[in-house]
Amino acid sequence: MAHEVPPLPYDYSALEPYIDSETMHLHHDMHHGAYVKNLNAALEKHPELQNKSADELLRNLNSIPEDIRGAVRNNGGGHVNHSMFWKIMKAKGGGAPNGKIAEAINKAFGDFESFKTKFNDAGAKQFGSGWAWLVRNQSGQLQVISTPNQDNPISQGLFPILGNDVWEHAYYLKYRNRRPEYLAAWWNVVNWDEVNKRFEQSTKAEVHEPALASR
Ligand code: MN
């Protein structure tokens, strides 16, 4: 079964005015579409990997044959990252976090505002393309990190609870070069129920050793 782009769980215009409909069309259909197409093309060279989930591939990047490792890292990462991204947003989202993630954020960062500042800062300072993340590490602590390109934290043994895409394709049509403005606006579309589900999953996830080679 080839990997597929999941349909958006809402209309393309649902996240207006914070994320415009044209950006959503390009981002979901074209960019995510290309990651999935390129991932499937790479896996055709190694059909034994075709039944593995994209998460599983990224967790064990070192075991991926070298001729497709880069393609799997970039396009598998692009697929997993965006599949999460669409779900952790919704129309009329935002506001303060609720449930267990709210408690965990307060415990780790002091309060929601301090967490947001730290997260937005990680996104603003990520040089070039990449992602800002809230992750749970193997000791069970929450951390804010950023990754370049489409690297997903699961390749470092970290569980991604929430992430924001800071590639220019995510914001340039509306925000132009004003990435910090996009980062600030994005909180208005966060789906905290979904983030709580992911936090719950992170507490049950198996602990994985870092799968990236130490370089
Ligand atoms: Mn993207």
Side-chain angles (χ1 to χ4, degrees):
M1 181 70 188
H3 294 275
E4 284 175 7
V5 180
L8 268 189
Y10 36 72
D11 192 76
Y12 290 94
S13 61
L15 307 180
E16 296 263 12
Y18 307 108
I19 302 181
D20 59 288
S21 171
E22 191 184 4
T23 294
M24 290 301 285
H25 273 284
L26 288 165
H27 200 175
H28 177 270
D29 300 358
M30 307 309 284
H31 290 277
H32 192 169
Y35 297 127
V36 167
K37 187 168 169 249
N38 293 334
L39 174 63
N40 288 330
L43 296 176
E44 272 172 28
K45 294 173 196 151
H46 293 276
E48 73 280 8
L49 298 175
Q50 284 173 335
N51 63 348
K52 292 191 187 296
S53 71
D55 280 55
E56 210 176 336
L57 296 172
L58 294 179
R59 250 184 232 121
N60 302 292
L61 273 181
N62 279 340
S63 67
I64 305 295
E66 217 176 331
D67 63 325
I68 64 162
R69 194 179 300 154
V72 168
R73 179 177 184 159
N74 293 330
N75 297 294
H79 180 34
V80 171
N81 294 348
H82 290 86
S83 297
M84 170 206 71
F85 190 56
W86 314 130
K87 287 177 80 172
I88 61 163
M89 301 190 289
K90 68 170 187 177
K92 301 189 173 75
N98 52 48
K100 288 190 174 161
I101 192 63
E103 292 165 29
I105 284 173
N106 290 342
K107 193 174 161 217
F109 304 103
D111 54 39
F112 180 47
E113 284 307 312
S114 308
F115 159 64
K116 266 204 308 196
T117 302
K118 199 165 182 179
F119 185 99
N120 289 352
D121 200 47
K125 286 182 180 157
Q126 172 57 42
F127 184 73
S129 298
W131 289 73
W133 302 96
L134 174 67
V135 299
R136 188 174 193 273
N137 68 21
Q138 291 179 29
S139 326
Q141 290 152 333
L142 296 190
Q143 281 180 279
V144 168
I145 64 163
S146 65
T147 59
N149 308 313
Q150 294 295 354
D151 286 359
N152 186 290
I154 55 177
S155 300
Q156 301 173 47
L158 302 167
F159 191 104
I161 293 170
L162 133 132
N164 192 2
D165 187 343
V166 299
W167 283 58
E168 285 184 348
H169 68 222
Y171 63 86
Y172 214 83
L173 289 182
K174 182 176 173 75
Y175 296 92
R176 300 298 167 182
N177 59 326
R178 303 183 305 276
R179 189 191 286 186
E181 211 176 288
Y182 158 73
L183 282 158
W186 181 74
W187 297 102
N188 290 297
V189 296
V190 172
N191 178 349
W192 288 111
D193 292 337
E194 182 64 24
V195 174
N196 263 302
K197 274 188 211 160
R198 295 185 63 87
F199 178 58
E200 190 76 21
Q201 283 163 18
S202 80
T203 65
K204 292 172 186 160
E206 287 171 54
V207 174
H208 292 279
E209 290 305 311
L212 280 183
S214 48
R215 278 164 296 173

